Amino acid sequence: MNMSAKPSRLRDARVTLAHGGGGRAMRDLIEEVFTDVFQPPGSEDQARLMDAALQEPGARLAFTTDSFVVTPVEFPGGDIGKLAVCGTVNDLAVGGAKPLWLSAAFIIEEGTEIALLRRIVASMAREAAAAGVRIVTGDTKVVGRGACDTVFITTSGVGVIPAGRDMAAEDIREGDVVLVNGVLGDHGATILAARGDLALSTPLESDCQSLNHLIEAVLAAAPGTRAARDATRGGLASTLNEMAEAAGVTVTLEEEALPLRAEVKGMCEILGLDPLYLANEGTLALFVPADQAQAALEAMQAMDAGRTAAIVGRAGPRGPVPVVLRTAFGGQRIVDMLVGEQLPRIC
């Protein structure tokens, strides 16, 4: 038994409305569950921050925000807390920024187990440490039963884009090669199976992971990298449509080159889904000049987050549609933006 452990002041096993009332109960919840884990600098209503990267001539700030809702809040390979950290880190990193600081705001449903909150917060702290970022400020609100689904999290992130680095979809050129760092659709398929609505048993886990270290390795090996984007809601298909439209090119994908697990293929065949539209939370699409594509591929494959990286297509002259797929049988089909909802919202 650890005799030095600080005794808990929390009297309840579940969150009550008193934990959002601004008094002692709220302070105890915030201190024990959140700030004791995140260790933010100072105790003011704002984080006061400085980093040497901000002083470099030509450096620019990058800022992003996102909200996360997922059912169930814990799933194979992750949870809503890990999802929130990875999602915000990746939104910064795909623009060439080096993520530095995050905020985290929690909307918590009355009756939520405090033990569950502790697991989510611990997961966030682990992922932030792995990504090399700090969670420096935040907020909590408690709402009545039924007003939210257990817990919603909003994270914002600040990073620094080094001088001379400029990545944007508008910079994609004809002849550029399209790469992905990993298998497609694992997150969407995992969440679908975890909900238990269908009698599906699968060993799949979410691909939820931070990609900033991977992107830095790619940029070191292939400094001419044009653009990157994480293929979250709407999957690879919607992501490439957005990028191709911004650049004024047509992207041709090679069906046989797409990295897909047999389990994801099988689930999609059973349910009539297209894996290109399944969400990912640790997979990105990169556009790289053809003469740097092999270097980028090797840089990704040398890292855990890119072991199954692959070259999957190429940008060509603008045509009638932004994205087409060359099938295994030699034909072509249009890969359009996701219309409506292929699945219930999962991130």
Side-chain angles (χ1 to χ4, degrees):
M1 181 176 178
N2 183 4
M3 298 301 293
S4 63
K6 186 167 61 175
S8 174
R9 300 189 301 275
L10 290 173
R11 305 293 185 184
D12 303 291
R14 294 180 180 272
V15 174
T16 69
L17 290 176
H19 289 115
R24 185 180 299 276
M26 179 175 174
R27 186 187 67 183
D28 291 346
L29 177 74
I30 291 172
E31 289 181 354
E32 288 200 25
V33 176
F34 298 101
T35 58
D36 283 357
V37 177
F38 293 149
Q39 294 291 311
S43 58
E44 301 299 323
D45 284 343
Q46 76 290 136
R48 301 171 183 180
L49 308 167
M50 181 56 66
D51 190 273
L54 296 173
Q55 309 302 311
E56 296 178 7
R60 291 171 293 159
L61 278 179
F63 176 57
T64 189
T65 190
D66 206 347
S67 296
F68 296 85
V69 297
V70 63
T71 302
V73 294
E74 294 180 299
F75 47 83
D79 54 62
I80 191 172
K82 182 180 181 181
L83 190 69
V85 172
C86 292
T88 300
V89 165
N90 293 345
D91 282 349
L92 289 169
V94 294
K98 296 182 177 182
L100 296 175
W101 305 297
L102 304 182
S103 71
F106 298 80
I107 306 296
I108 306 165
E109 182 183 21
E110 177 191 11
T112 298
E113 292 182 353
I114 289 176
L116 171 62
L117 284 182
R118 290 187 187 277
R119 292 196 300 273
I120 290 170
V121 170
S123 176
M124 294 178 75
R126 286 193 300 271
E127 189 59 33
V133 300
R134 292 190 66 189
I135 299 171
V136 295
T137 190
D139 186 48
T140 62
K141 292 291 186 295
V142 178
V143 297
R145 294 177 187 270
C148 82
D149 188 1
T150 309
V151 60
F152 298 159
I153 302 177
T154 295
T155 45
S156 297
V158 176
V160 175
I161 303 173
R165 184 180 292 181
D166 192 10
M167 295 168 59
E170 291 82 359
D171 296 333
I172 297 167
R173 299 289 180 264
E174 294 178 23
D176 287 349
V177 172
V178 187
L179 301 93
V180 295
N181 68 296
V183 291
L184 304 170
D186 278 12
H187 180 73
T190 297
I191 298 299
L192 182 62
R195 284 181 173 153
D197 296 333
L198 302 167
L200 296 173
S201 177
T202 173
L204 284 171
E205 291 189 356
S206 169
D207 63 339
C208 187
Q209 59 185 335
S210 295
L211 298 172
N212 53 320
H213 299 315
L214 176 97
I215 291 176
E216 288 298 322
V218 169
L219 290 173
T225 298
R226 312 277 196 200
R229 195 164 294 180
D230 49 338
T232 53
R233 278 178 291 179
L236 181 67
S238 294
T239 297
L240 291 181
N241 268 273
E242 292 173 355
M243 299 178 82
E245 287 181 357
V249 298
T250 290
V251 173
T252 300
L253 293 174
E254 302 294 338
E255 184 177 36
E256 293 188 312
L258 296 172
L260 288 163
R261 298 189 196 280
E263 296 89 342
V264 173
K265 288 183 179 179
M267 182 182 292
C268 288
E269 288 174 0
I270 291 170
L271 300 176
L273 302 175
D274 187 335
L276 290 179
Y277 295 96
L278 290 180
N280 309 274
E281 287 297 340
T283 300
L284 56 79
L286 281 161
F287 283 79
V288 179
D291 61 352
Q292 297 182 30
Q294 189 60 36
L297 180 65
E298 291 173 1
M300 286 195 286
Q301 291 177 338
M303 305 186 70
D304 288 341
R307 296 287 183 207
T308 55
I311 293 172
V312 298
R314 187 177 293 265
R318 185 168 195 161
V321 295
V323 183
V324 296
L325 178 74
R326 184 175 290 122
T327 70
F329 300 103
Q332 288 190 343
R333 72 173 176 90
I334 296 171
V335 180
D336 207 349
M337 287 281 291
L338 179 63
V339 177
E341 283 282 352
Q342 183 175 223
L343 295 173
R345 183 167 293 175
I346 56 177
C347 62

